[in-house]
Every structure is written in structure tokens, then in C-alpha cells.
DNA sequence: ATCCCGACCTTTTTT
DNA sequence: AGGTCGGGAT
């Protein structure tokens, strides 16, 4: 115990050893948040305030859950498997599996990922003959998920006009379709669990009696449904230990509600609010930069990070003439960092949007520097894996129409669009699944569909007593997937992936312990409650009864595949530069960080201007970006940039005006140097204004002004000349004034002034 | 069944 | 610019 608390600072120690009441921990970037969370759990268990089974720890990502799990097993000499540490979705899945009857789901219900959900919606619209121009599937999906994230069923959604009333109808129809097929989407996992717990008192009381301590990571990212779910699980008496950072709330666009932090303080009667402000990550100048920037936000709970490290290096800022040149500069700087002994994997290049990576990747590729891009396609999202999974889904639950449609004619077996249409008509007529409707289709179509059904049934029969990985192997063989890809020229990679699916199944069996009897770990009180029969006569099973009694290995593996899409880093292993969006950098840290494309319209993104609180969220995003850096921070922006096939002339980001000058070092001169050239290598020094080599891309029009030039207008402020038309006495300029928008001004009338910098 | 062309879109993303 | 998707032609 001594060594458990041994290296904590006073605030961390206070947080870890708080009494068993709800508490809010405001944990700044790099303040040891995960450490506090895991040490809190270890301390509670070690001091016998709670048994491992009485702990519920919730995260957003599998990665965070795994991290907590592994740190805990390092701290405690107990089997962490009995503990409930997982994502919101993972935990809800577990609860729904154990109580599927009470939740009104089939035992083998399956989970739709976003792509499956969209496909299901498209199918629904087609079946109902809905004009998908007027009601775009994607919008309907946002509508449905948005409603579910608010905890609202179709009949609870308020619709004030015909258009929205139609959306509500379609939401209802979508839920019916899902129910018929035995599938649930991500939001449904949460909503269904919420409804289960709120309606079923014995069940609710059982779990409330069990989970005396609920711990939540990244609390600022919770949406309203998740918040209410926590409230339900906590009941009146349990302690919720919420850890979060309002300054790092960057997911409002997907329903996260920072307001939950304030609500939590009030509704959970929080007596203890502890701020972790000691930062162990960044040097002083970097931290000052972050603090000064974020101070411009009005809606904050208030927090200022401090560090014991010295000032360190200043934050370097660079103005490039083009996105290509920006990339070259990044490469030069990276090379020199690597030359000084930096690890490539400790250098991150961050951008606001994915489109920006292309130019950087190209430059890195040309320079022969290894790099790794985060955020690509993930293992379980690959087409061939999706196909294989669909076969497995049909073996487990043949009424999953999405799965049926995906593979009924893949590999091709002569079942064309006509046959499918006939089948869909029959299914609609009888209100049954496609699989069940096959006997109602006559003729040639009926017989080819019939042999597909026989195939699926054959696969199920052949594999019923086999271990999971053997099951997958047999499926791959019988389905014809492997032979199909063998004949395809680009098929080798796909076959390799399919073989990896077999390994994934084996790994899953070993890790989840299927076949090994995992003992249920029930606290005394929980066991008492567990004996209580439910009103409907079902016996109350605790959800951590051995998984095998709750679901088959196949069902479990399929949930795993949906809930954990796998790594998305293609080229692991090698020591490589790290490229990613600012969003995906959250939670990570690097010795050196480049924040690129710091321009008005890009960062802050132009779309954010329309949104309520959009600018503040962009600023938090910038704050997240800055606080990723440990020792070196570089920021860059460019005068021109290719975006969507067009050259854009952006002003530098307004965020530069919000940074502390004393912490910065401007590498590029704050004057118009770009057309009057200079040696790139000498940009550290004062520019030679008036030198005479004009860069080709900025040919000067003979009107006194240049494209790309920054000007100032009395009414509109600063702007960038985007285009000039006409000439002489009849010349007009398109000028991008940022906040004021694009203006077309007559150059002979408008009073423009040159702006230095 | 497959292939090719043109229309369309383009912030951020986990489960 | 570049990728995806759907429709129409082969």
C-alpha cells in the first residue's frame, strides 16, 4: 500500500484517497490522469473498501480500457478478469447478453457497426420506396443516432414539420427492422441497456448493490444518454469518480456534452472537486503557450497547468509560401531532429483534416523517410473480412438480412438482382427475414436461393462442435471465399487477411478464456440479490457469470469484431514519423510535435464558424494539439494551399494572436518576403526585403497588387487577395476577409493598405 | 457479371 | 485533386 501511493503528488494523493462519495477530478493534459484512476481502484481494493467485483470502470475506447487493465494487474496481485473495466458499449453488450430476454432481444443479437447501420437504412428506404434524394440515408442515420444519444425513442421525438415527422416515422420503421433482424446499432446498445435498467427494478437494484464504485474516464466526452446511464447505475448511494478535462472536450460534434461536468457536480452532490494542474509532460514555453491560448475561452471550469521543467525551447513558428514548401520545411526540421538523436516515432505531424496529409506524405515518401499514418482502414472493416464475418453472422443468426445480402451472391453463385427482389417481396409480404422467406420463392430463383440456405445450414452443422478457429476455417473453405480470392489477381493480400482472421479467432479464444471456466465473482450482497427471482420467472443471472453460459464463443467473437474494429495502423513496427489528425492525437504525447496548416478556414475550420460554440471547440482542439508536445513544438502555416482542386489563399490562424510572444520564435520574417526571394535556409535571419527574384507562382499583375498579398481595408480589416481580374483602370480584386467573407472590390476605388506580415 | 465513366463530395471519429 | 458510388453499357 505504501508503494501504491508512494510517488503521487499531493493533489493526486488527495484524489486517489477520497472518501466513498462522488467526486470530480479535473485532470489537465499530462497530469497523470490514468495513473490516478488506476491507483484509485487499486487503493480501494487494497484497503478492502470494495471487492474487485464492486468496481465498474468505464472508458470510451478499448485502448484506454486495456491500458487501465494492464496497469492494474501490475499494481494488484489479483486476477483483474473479475473486474468490470470496459467501454460504455462493451459493458452494455455484456449486460444485454446476460439479460437478453428482459431486454427483448434474441440471444444471438448482433451488433451493427456504422457501415452496417448505413446499409440497413438504405435498404429500409428502398423497401419503403422513400426518395433518398429528399431523405438522404446519412441524414436519417444522424437523426436516429442523435435521438438515441438523447435517450429518445421515435415516439418521444418532437417533430414540428412534415419533413421531420417523416424522419420520425422512418426512425420507428428502422427500429422495427432492427428488431425483426435481431440486430442493434451502437447507440442502441446504450439505449437498450438504459431502458432495461430503468424499467426492471430488481435488475437495477442488483447492479446498484454491486457496483459501489463507478469510475469514468474522459468524462467531458459523455453524451446525455451516457450521463443518464451513469446516473441510473449509480443510484442514490454509489460513488462516481469522474475524471475529465473540459479544456479537452473536442467531440461535441458527435454528441459529447461538456455541460455534463457541471450537471454532475450538482446532481451527484459533489463535495470534492480536485484539480490536477501539475503537468509532467511539457516544457515551460509549450505549457505557457497552451495556457495563454485556452484562457481565451469563456466557458471553462478554470485550470492552469504548471510544470517543474524549465522553459525549454521556444515554440517555433514558420510561414511557408505553399503547402508543398511547408511539407519540405517539416522534413528539414525532422531530419535535423533525427540528426540530433531524436527517435522518428517521437515526432508527430498533426493536421486539422485528413486531406492535408497527402502533401506531407508525398514529401516524406520522396525524401525516403519512414512514416506512419493513423486513421486508415481497420482490420475488421476490410471488405474480405466483412464478407467472412457476414457468413459467421448468418451461421449465428440467419435472420440478419444485412449479412444475408452481403454474401448471398458473393462469391457469385448466380443469384442476381431479380431473384433478390423476388425474395424481398416475399419477405415483406410475410413480415419475415430473407432467410425465412426463401421457401416462398418459386422457380429457378427459389432453387438457387435454396442451395444458399443449405450451404449456410451445412456450415452450421459441420462446425457445431468445433472450436472457434476451426469454425472460421471451415467457413472460409465452404463459403468459397478462399477459392474466389485465389483466382483474383490482387487476392493474395486478402487471403492473408482471411488467414489472419483465423489467428484473431484463436487469440480471442485464448484471451477470453472460452472453454476455461471463468468463475463468477459476486460480492455477498450481490449474491443475495442474485437469488431473487424476477417477476417474469426468469432467474437473475449476474452478467459476469461465465461468458459461455451467456453466449456462444461465436456470438462473443462477433461482438468483439463489431466493438473492436482492430488496429488501423498498417505499417507498425518500424521506427517512423507519426502522422495524424489532431483529434486522433488526443491522449498521446511526443518529444516533438508539428502543428501544420494553421490558417483561417482550416484551423479554425471554416465550418466551425456556423456552429454554436464552434470557435471555442476549435481552440480546445488547438489546446490538445499543443499539449501533445514534450520538448519541441513547431507550428506552421502557408500562404497558398491546394484544397479540393483549387488554390486557396488563407490568412494565418487567429490563434497566433492568442499566444504568448515571449514563448515564441518566429522563424519566418513578419514582412512580405514571399515574392522577393531569399534562401530558404536563411529564413531564420532577417529577410532581404526588395531582393529581386520573384517566385514563379506569384506573377505580379500590373495593377499595383499581387495575388496572395495581405491587405487591410478600413471596414473589413485584414484580407488576402485571392484573385485579380481586369487591369489598369478597370481592375477588381477578390479578397478574402476571413470573418467578413469574400469581397469583390474595385482596386481604383477601394482604399487598401499593404500589411506587413 | 463486370467494367467504365461521370457525378458528387470533401472536419473532426469511437463504439 | 482524388476517392467513392451508382448507373448504364458491354
Amino acid at each position: 500500500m505504501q508503494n501504491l501511493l508512494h510517488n503521487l503528488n499531493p493533489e493526486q494523493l488527495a484524489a486517489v484517497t477520497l472518501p466513498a462519495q462522488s467526486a470530480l477530478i479535473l485532470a489537465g493534459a499530462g497530469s497523470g490522469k490514468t495513473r490516478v484512476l488506476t491507483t484509485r481502484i487499486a487503493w480501494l481494493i487494497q484497503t478492502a473498501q470494495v471487492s474487485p467485483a464492486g468496481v465498474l470502470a468505464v472508458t470510451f475506447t478499448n485502448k484506454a480500457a486495456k491500458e487501465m487493465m494492464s496497469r492494474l494487474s501490475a499494481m494488484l496481485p489479483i486476477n483483474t478478469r473479475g473486474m468490470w473495466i470496459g467501454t460504455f458499449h462493451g459493458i452494455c453488450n455484456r449486460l444485454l447478453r446476460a439479460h437478453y430476454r428482459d431486454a427483448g432481444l434474441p440471444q444471438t443479437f448482433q451488433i451493427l457497426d456504422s457501415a452496417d447501420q448505413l446499409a440497413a437504412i438504405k435498404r429500409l428506404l428502398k423497401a419503403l420506396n422513400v426518395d433518398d434524394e429528399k431523405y438522404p440515408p446519412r441524414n436519417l442515420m444522424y437523426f436516429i443516432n442523435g435521438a438515441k444519444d438523447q435517450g429518445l425513442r421515435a415516439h418521444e421525438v418532437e417533430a414540428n414539420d412534415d419533413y421531420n415527422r417523416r424522419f420520425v416515422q422512418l426512425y420507428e420503421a428502422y427500429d422495427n427492422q432492427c428488431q425483426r433482424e435481431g440486430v442493434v446499432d451502437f447507440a442502441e446498445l446504450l439505449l437498450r441497456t438504459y431502458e432495461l435498467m430503468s424499467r426492471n427494478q430488481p435488475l437495477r437494484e442488483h447492479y446498484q448493490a454491486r457496483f459501489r464504485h463507478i469510475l469514468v474516464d474522459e468524462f467531458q466526452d459523455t453524451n446525455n444518454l451516457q450521463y443518464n446511464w451513469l446516473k441510473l447505475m449509480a443510484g442514490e448511494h454509489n460513488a462516481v469518480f469522474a475524471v475529465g478535462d473540459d479544456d479537452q472536450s473536442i467531440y461535441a460534434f458527435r454528441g459529447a456534452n461538456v455541460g455534463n461536468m457541471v450537471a454532475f457536480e450538482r446532481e451527484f452532490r459533489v463535495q470534492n472537486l480536485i484539480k490536477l494542474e501539475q503537468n509532467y509532460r511539457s516544457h515551460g514555453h509549450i505549457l505557457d503557450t497552451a495556457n495563454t491560448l485556452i484562457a481565451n475561452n469563456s466557458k471553462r471550469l478554470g485550470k492552469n497547468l504548471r510544470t517543474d521543467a524549465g522553459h525549454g525551447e521556444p515554440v517555433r513558428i514558420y510561414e511557408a509560401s505553399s503547402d508543398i514548401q511547408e511539407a519540405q520545411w517539416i522534413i528539414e526540421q525532422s531530419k535535423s531532429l533525427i540528426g540530433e538523436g531524436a527517435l522518428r516515432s517521437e515526432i508527430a505531424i498533426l493536421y486539422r483534416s485528413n486531406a492535408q496529409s497527402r502533401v506531407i506524405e508525398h514529401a516524406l515518401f520522396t525524401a525516403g523517410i519512414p512514416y506512419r499514418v493513423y486513421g486508415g482502414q481497420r482490420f475488421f472493416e476490410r471488405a474480405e473480412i466483412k464478407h467472412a464475418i457476414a457468413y459467421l453472422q448468418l451461421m449465428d443468426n440467419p435472420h440478419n438480412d444485412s449479412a444475408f445480402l452481403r454474401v448471398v451472391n458473393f462469391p457469385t453463385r448466380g443469384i442476381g438482382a431479380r431473384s433478390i427482389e423476388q425474395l424481398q417481396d416475399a419477405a415483406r409480404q410475410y413480415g419475415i427475414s430473407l432467410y425465412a422467406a426463401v421457401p416462398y420463392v418459386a422457380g429457378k430463383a427459389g432453387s438457387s436461393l435454396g442451395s444458399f440456405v443449405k450451404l449456410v445450414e451445412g456450415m452450421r452443422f459441420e462446425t457445431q462442435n468445433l472450436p472457434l478457429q476451426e469454425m472460421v476455417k471451415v467457413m472460409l473453405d465452404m463459403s468459397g471465399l478462399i477459392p474466389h480470392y485465389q483466382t483474383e489477381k490482387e487476392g493474395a493480400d486478402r487471403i492473408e487477411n482471411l488467414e489472419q482472421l483465423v489467428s484473431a479467432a484463436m487469440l480471442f479464444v485464448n484471451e477470453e478464456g472460452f472453454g476455461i471456466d471463468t468463475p463468477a465473482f459476486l460480492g455477498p450482497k450481490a449474491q443475495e440479490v442474485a437469488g431473487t427471482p424476477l417477476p417474469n420467472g426468469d432467474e437473475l443471472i449476474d452478467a459476469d457469470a461465465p461468458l459461455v453460459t451467456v453466449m456462444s464463443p461465436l456470438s462473443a467473437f462477433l461482438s468483439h469484431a463489431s466493438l473492436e474494429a482492430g488496429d488501423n495502423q498498417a505499417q507498425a513496427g518500424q521506427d517512423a514519423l507519426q502522422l495524424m489528425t489532431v483529434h486522433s492525437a488526443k491522449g498521446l504525447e511526443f518529444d516533438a510535435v508539428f502543428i501544420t496548416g494553421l490558417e483561417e478556414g482550416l484551423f479554425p475550420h471554416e465550418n466551425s464558424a456556423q456552429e454554436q460554440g464552434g470557435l471555442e471547440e476549435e481552440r480546445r482542439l488547438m489546446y490538445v494539439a499543443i499539449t501533445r508536445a514534450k520538448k519541441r513544438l513547431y507550428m506552421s502555416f502557408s500562404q497558398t494551399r491546394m484544397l479540393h482542386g483549387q488554390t486557396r489563399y488563407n490568412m494565418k490562424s487567429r490563434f497566433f494572436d492568442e499566444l504568448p510572444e515571449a514563448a515564441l520564435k518566429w522563424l519566418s520574417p513578419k514582412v512580405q518576403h514571399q515574392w522577393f526571394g531569399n534562401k530558404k535556409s536563411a529564413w531564420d535571419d532577417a529577410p532581404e526585403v526588395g531582393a529581386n527574384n520573384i517566385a514563379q507562382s506569384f506573377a505580379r499583375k500590373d495593377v499595383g497588387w499581387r495575388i496572395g498579398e495581405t491587405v487591410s481595408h478600413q471596414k473589413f480589416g485584414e484580407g488576402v487577395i485571392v484573385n485579380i481580374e481586369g487591369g489598369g483602370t478597370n481592375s477588381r480584386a477578390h479578397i478574402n476577409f476571413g470573418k467578413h467573407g469574400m469581397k469583390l472590390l474595385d482596386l481604383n476605388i477601394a482604399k487598401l493598405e499593404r500589411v506587413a506580415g
Side-chain angles (χ1 to χ4, degrees):
Chain A
M1 147 111 112
Q2 213 35 277
N3 44 5
L4 204 62
L5 307 176
H6 163 222
N7 269 326
L8 301 174
N9 71 32
E11 297 141 16
Q12 291 174 330
L13 181 67
V16 165
T17 58
L18 279 174
Q21 299 161 354
S22 288
L24 181 59
I25 313 302
L26 271 184
S31 65
K33 158 189 84 118
T34 311
R35 181 148 188 239
V36 165
L37 215 41
T38 47
T39 315
R40 166 80 174 171
I41 297 174
W43 179 78
L44 286 169
I45 291 171
Q46 213 169 61
T47 55
Q49 299 183 59
V50 69
S51 76
V55 173
L56 174 64
V58 198
T59 65
F60 277 86
T61 65
N62 292 300
K63 197 175 154 201
K66 275 186 197 154
E67 169 79 14
M68 265 171 98
M69 201 70 115
S70 75
R71 286 215 208 176
L72 262 175
S73 34
M75 274 188 235
L76 288 174
I78 58 162
N79 185 358
T80 50
R81 191 164 277 166
M83 276 189 264
W84 278 46
I85 298 176
T87 63
F88 277 101
H89 295 84
I91 284 164
C92 286
N93 179 47
R94 190 160 194 152
L95 289 166
L96 291 177
R97 294 289 168 188
H99 308 291
Y100 66 94
R101 282 193 213 92
D102 294 315
L105 288 169
Q107 184 164 25
T108 57
F109 76 84
Q110 294 174 346
I111 301 166
L112 301 180
D113 65 23
S114 317
D116 298 333
Q117 188 188 17
L118 187 61
I121 287 174
K122 283 182 182 168
R123 196 150 44 76
L124 176 80
L125 294 184
K126 200 163 265 177
L128 295 177
N129 264 320
V130 176
D131 180 4
D132 59 1
E133 299 265 284
K134 195 172 171 202
Y135 300 96
R138 206 166 279 279
N139 291 1
L140 180 57
M141 182 161 97
Y142 294 148
F143 180 87
I144 292 170
N145 291 342
K148 288 188 180 182
D149 286 347
Q150 296 295 322
L152 300 175
R153 287 294 174 192
H155 65 90
E156 297 166 309
V157 178
E158 251 185 79
N160 300 314
D161 53 76
D162 285 349
Y163 190 74
N164 276 296
R165 270 190 280 278
R166 188 80 176 116
F167 264 3
V168 170
Q169 278 176 5
L170 292 169
Y171 174 11
E172 176 108 58
Y174 166 78
D175 265 0
N176 292 337
Q177 175 180 288
C178 288
Q179 187 65 31
R180 196 168 57 242
E181 297 180 16
V183 296
V184 299
D185 57 52
F186 287 133
E188 183 73 23
L189 280 174
L190 284 152
L191 182 52
R192 198 59 85 101
T193 310
Y194 177 80
E195 289 171 346
L196 169 70
M197 290 298 164
S198 58
R199 288 173 193 163
N200 192 324
Q201 192 193 344
L203 214 52
R204 180 172 67 245
E205 286 176 351
H206 168 72
Y207 285 105
Q208 284 178 349
R210 172 178 169 166
F211 295 123
R212 308 321 308 229
H213 286 273
I214 301 174
L215 301 95
V216 192
D217 190 19
E218 306 277 17
F219 190 80
Q220 77 282 356
D221 287 339
T222 52
N223 66 31
N224 291 346
L225 179 55
Q226 286 157 342
Y227 179 83
N228 288 322
W229 184 91
L230 286 168
K231 232 160 97 175
L232 202 59
M233 296 299 279
E236 281 302 302
H237 306 295
N238 296 330
V240 177
F241 189 85
V243 181
D245 181 359
D246 55 322
D247 290 333
Q248 291 189 71
S249 162
I250 55 173
Y251 286 112
F253 71 92
R254 64 178 199 213
N257 178 9
V258 210
N260 284 345
M261 297 187 86
V262 179
F264 177 77
E265 231 187 312
R266 190 182 62 243
E267 295 189 335
F268 286 72
R269 294 181 293 278
V270 168
Q271 317 253 323
N272 294 294
L273 187 152
I274 293 183
K275 295 182 184 180
L276 305 181
E277 296 177 297
Q278 177 76 37
N279 173 289
Y280 296 97
R281 181 184 293 155
S282 308
H283 287 169
H285 280 321
I286 294 171
L287 220 48
D288 288 347
T289 303
N291 283 334
T292 310
L293 175 91
I294 201 66
N296 287 282
N297 270 5
S298 59
K299 289 188 207 129
R300 294 183 68 210
L301 296 177
K303 187 166 49 35
N304 225 26
L305 295 178
R306 52 170 195 277
T307 177
D308 289 341
H311 284 312
E313 295 285 322
V315 176
R316 289 169 168 80
I317 300 177
Y318 179 76
E319 176 175 15
S321 57
S322 71
D323 47 355
I324 294 167
Q325 204 251 314
E326 179 189 40
Q328 274 159 357
W329 172 77
I330 293 167
I331 286 170
E332 280 171 31
Q333 299 298 313
S334 306
K335 273 185 179 162
S336 91
L337 285 171
I338 294 163
E340 290 165 31
L343 275 173
R344 281 192 285 262
S345 58
E346 277 297 328
I347 302 173
I349 303 171
L350 309 184
Y351 33 82
R352 175 66 179 83
S353 63
N354 285 303
Q356 289 166 252
S357 76
R358 169 156 268 99
V359 173
I360 300 168
E361 281 188 69
H362 179 80
L364 284 166
F365 185 82
T366 310
I369 300 176
Y371 65 92
R372 191 169 142 186
V373 187
Y374 282 68
Q377 206 185 30
R378 308 191 306 175
F379 182 71
F380 285 106
E381 289 168 357
R382 290 165 194 276
E384 62 276 18
I385 299 300
K386 277 276 192 186
H387 283 124
I389 293 287
Y391 278 105
L392 295 174
Q393 286 176 324
L394 283 181
M395 290 158 68
D396 199 39
N397 165 20
H399 305 299
N400 181 338
D401 284 357
S402 298
F404 186 98
L405 287 171
R406 181 180 281 274
V407 291
V408 65
N409 198 32
F410 191 95
T412 50
R413 41 177 78 89
I415 300 175
R418 285 238 27 136
S419 312
I420 300 295
E421 232 163 80
Q422 274 177 269
L423 180 63
Q424 282 174 321
D425 287 342
R428 213 166 306 145
Q429 192 186 335
Y430 297 104
I432 53 178
S433 69
L434 297 174
Y435 193 87
V438 166
Y440 299 100
V441 178
K444 202 164 143 262
S447 72
S448 48
L449 284 165
S451 38
F452 177 68
V453 165
K454 281 205 194 78
L455 170 68
V456 173
E457 270 163 14
M459 293 198 297
R460 190 165 21 180
F461 177 77
E462 294 288 333
T463 59
Q464 56 188 339
N465 292 317
L466 295 180
L468 186 64
Q469 67 271 26
E470 295 300 322
M471 215 180 241
V472 177
K473 266 190 209 160
V474 173
M475 176 276 298
L476 287 178
D477 184 43
M478 288 180 72
S479 65
L481 284 176
I482 296 272
H484 172 263
Y485 287 120
Q486 272 163 350
T487 61
E488 211 176 56
K489 26 189 195 309
E490 307 290 322
D493 284 351
R494 296 186 187 276
I495 289 176
E496 201 175 305
N497 285 328
L498 289 173
E499 278 159 4
Q500 265 188 45
L501 184 66
V502 179
S503 323
M506 188 140 45
L507 197 69
F508 178 75
V509 170
N510 292 338
E511 281 188 357
E512 296 300 313
F514 275 99
I516 304 160
D517 204 358
T518 317
F521 198 146
L522 301 177
K525 183 127 187 216
Q527 250 164 20
E528 213 178 287
V529 182
T532 327
L534 291 180
N536 65 8
D538 279 353
E539 197 174 323
L540 183 51
I541 305 170
D542 195 288
D544 70 352
L547 270 179
V548 271
T549 67
V550 173
M551 57 180 146
S552 69
L554 180 54
S555 296
F557 182 59
L558 290 171
S559 312
H560 168 79
S562 304
L563 291 177
E564 203 172 333
D567 284 342
N568 53 14
Q569 291 88 273
Q571 330 87 318
Q574 203 180 15
D575 179 34
L577 291 195
Q578 310 284 304
L579 271 64
M580 67 194 84
T581 64
V582 180
H583 280 91
S584 34
K586 189 171 162 220
L588 306 177
E589 58 178 30
F590 305 91
D591 284 341
V593 169
F594 291 85
I595 309 174
T596 70
L598 281 164
E599 294 143 37
E600 282 297 298
L602 249 192
F603 202 174
H605 198 278
E606 51 202 354
N607 294 4
S608 71
Q610 272 69 259
E611 285 150 33
Q612 187 66 251
L615 183 62
E616 297 217 345
E617 175 135 329
E618 293 290 307
R619 194 175 281 116
R620 290 192 293 269
L621 195 51
M622 180 69 181
Y623 176 79
V624 167
I626 295 170
T627 52
R628 296 312 95 199
K630 296 203 263 195
K631 300 174 189 158
R632 294 276 202 141
L633 179 59
Y634 301 81
M635 298 179 183
S636 60
F637 62 105
S638 171
Q639 292 162 357
T640 69
R641 183 176 298 278
M642 242 348 202
L643 198 66
H644 310 323
Q646 276 185 320
T647 307
R648 308 209 341 175
Y649 304 84
N650 297 319
M651 284 188 289
K652 69 174 191 287
S653 173
R654 71 189 72 189
F655 294 146
F656 283 118
D657 303 333
E658 303 175 0
L659 306 181
E661 273 305 322
L664 312 179
K665 180 175 184 187
W666 291 78
L667 300 185
S668 40
K670 295 176 107 184
V671 288
Q672 292 168 31
H673 53 264
Q674 59 269 42
W675 303 284
F676 305 109
N678 41 47
K679 310 131 273 179
K680 268 181 237 152
S681 52
W683 279 28
D684 257 60
D685 309 324
E688 308 156 74
V689 178
N692 47 15
N693 42 340
I694 297 170
Q696 314 88 320
S697 52
F698 294 95
R700 177 180 181 148
K701 292 219 182 183
D702 193 23
V703 291
W705 302 97
R706 288 174 291 278
I707 294 175
E709 191 164 11
T710 303
V711 297
S712 172
H713 184 274
Q714 207 175 2
K715 199 157 135 211
F716 304 130
E718 285 193 14
V720 179
I721 300 181
V722 167
N723 198 12
I724 295 173
E725 44 187 61
T729 55
N730 188 25
S731 41
R732 299 162 304 277
H734 292 268
I735 304 176
N736 181 356
F737 285 103
K739 286 174 274 230
H740 295 284
M742 187 77 76
K743 307 285 174 200
L744 180 62
L745 301 180
D746 190 316
L747 287 175
N748 298 294
I749 298 173
K751 294 192 183 71
L752 297 174
E753 283 176 33
R754 286 200 165 74
V755 176

PDB file of all heavy atoms in Angstrom, chain A residues 191 272 360 452 500 586 717:
ATOM      1  N   LEU A 191     -28.890   2.635 -25.307  1.00  0.00           N
ATOM      2  CA  LEU A 191     -30.285   2.975 -25.019  1.00  0.00           C
ATOM      3  C   LEU A 191     -31.038   1.760 -24.486  1.00  0.00           C
ATOM      4  O   LEU A 191     -31.810   1.852 -23.530  1.00  0.00           O
ATOM      5  CB  LEU A 191     -30.949   3.537 -26.284  1.00  0.00           C
ATOM      6  CG  LEU A 191     -32.393   3.990 -26.143  1.00  0.00           C
ATOM      7  CD1 LEU A 191     -32.567   4.944 -24.972  1.00  0.00           C
ATOM      8  CD2 LEU A 191     -32.882   4.665 -27.436  1.00  0.00           C
ATOM      9  N   ASN A 272     -16.212  17.013  -3.449  1.00  0.00           N
ATOM     10  CA  ASN A 272     -14.778  17.087  -3.712  1.00  0.00           C
ATOM     11  C   ASN A 272     -14.489  17.292  -5.178  1.00  0.00           C
ATOM     12  O   ASN A 272     -14.693  16.395  -5.995  1.00  0.00           O
ATOM     13  CB  ASN A 272     -14.114  15.796  -3.247  1.00  0.00           C
ATOM     14  CG  ASN A 272     -14.202  15.638  -1.756  1.00  0.00           C
ATOM     15  OD1 ASN A 272     -13.618  16.406  -1.000  1.00  0.00           O
ATOM     16  ND2 ASN A 272     -14.989  14.655  -1.326  1.00  0.00           N
ATOM     17  N   ILE A 360       2.070  16.073 -47.330  1.00  0.00           N
ATOM     18  CA  ILE A 360       3.141  15.722 -46.399  1.00  0.00           C
ATOM     19  C   ILE A 360       3.646  14.310 -46.686  1.00  0.00           C
ATOM     20  O   ILE A 360       4.850  14.063 -46.730  1.00  0.00           O
ATOM     21  CB  ILE A 360       2.645  15.839 -44.951  1.00  0.00           C
ATOM     22  CG1 ILE A 360       2.187  17.280 -44.679  1.00  0.00           C
ATOM     23  CG2 ILE A 360       3.733  15.432 -43.972  1.00  0.00           C
ATOM     24  CD1 ILE A 360       1.420  17.470 -43.401  1.00  0.00           C
ATOM     25  N   PHE A 452     -28.305 -21.866 -51.337  1.00  0.00           N
ATOM     26  CA  PHE A 452     -27.549 -20.984 -50.452  1.00  0.00           C
ATOM     27  C   PHE A 452     -27.917 -21.258 -48.986  1.00  0.00           C
ATOM     28  O   PHE A 452     -27.042 -21.347 -48.124  1.00  0.00           O
ATOM     29  CB  PHE A 452     -27.801 -19.513 -50.800  1.00  0.00           C
ATOM     30  CG  PHE A 452     -27.101 -18.555 -49.870  1.00  0.00           C
ATOM     31  CD1 PHE A 452     -25.719 -18.448 -49.863  1.00  0.00           C
ATOM     32  CD2 PHE A 452     -27.831 -17.767 -48.990  1.00  0.00           C
ATOM     33  CE1 PHE A 452     -25.074 -17.580 -49.002  1.00  0.00           C
ATOM     34  CE2 PHE A 452     -27.194 -16.892 -48.123  1.00  0.00           C
ATOM     35  CZ  PHE A 452     -25.806 -16.800 -48.125  1.00  0.00           C
ATOM     36  N   GLN A 500      -5.482 -14.309 -41.265  1.00  0.00           N
ATOM     37  CA  GLN A 500      -5.321 -13.586 -40.003  1.00  0.00           C
ATOM     38  C   GLN A 500      -6.595 -13.619 -39.171  1.00  0.00           C
ATOM     39  O   GLN A 500      -6.549 -13.500 -37.948  1.00  0.00           O
ATOM     40  CB  GLN A 500      -4.939 -12.133 -40.279  1.00  0.00           C
ATOM     41  CG  GLN A 500      -3.445 -11.899 -40.243  1.00  0.00           C
ATOM     42  CD  GLN A 500      -3.120 -10.432 -40.332  1.00  0.00           C
ATOM     43  OE1 GLN A 500      -3.747  -9.613 -39.663  1.00  0.00           O
ATOM     44  NE2 GLN A 500      -2.169 -10.102 -41.171  1.00  0.00           N
ATOM     45  N   LYS A 586      -5.211  12.982 -29.519  1.00  0.00           N
ATOM     46  CA  LYS A 586      -5.630  13.144 -28.124  1.00  0.00           C
ATOM     47  C   LYS A 586      -5.232  11.930 -27.302  1.00  0.00           C
ATOM     48  O   LYS A 586      -5.454  10.796 -27.701  1.00  0.00           O
ATOM     49  CB  LYS A 586      -7.144  13.332 -28.054  1.00  0.00           C
ATOM     50  CG  LYS A 586      -7.626  13.705 -26.689  1.00  0.00           C
ATOM     51  CD  LYS A 586      -9.078  14.088 -26.742  1.00  0.00           C
ATOM     52  CE  LYS A 586      -9.671  14.034 -25.359  1.00  0.00           C
ATOM     53  NZ  LYS A 586     -11.019  13.485 -25.382  1.00  0.00           N
ATOM     54  N   GLY A 717     -11.178  45.034 -42.354  1.00  0.00           N
ATOM     55  CA  GLY A 717      -9.966  44.573 -41.686  1.00  0.00           C
ATOM     56  C   GLY A 717      -9.011  43.896 -42.658  1.00  0.00           C
ATOM     57  O   GLY A 717      -8.985  44.211 -43.845  1.00  0.00           O
TER      58      GLY A 717
END
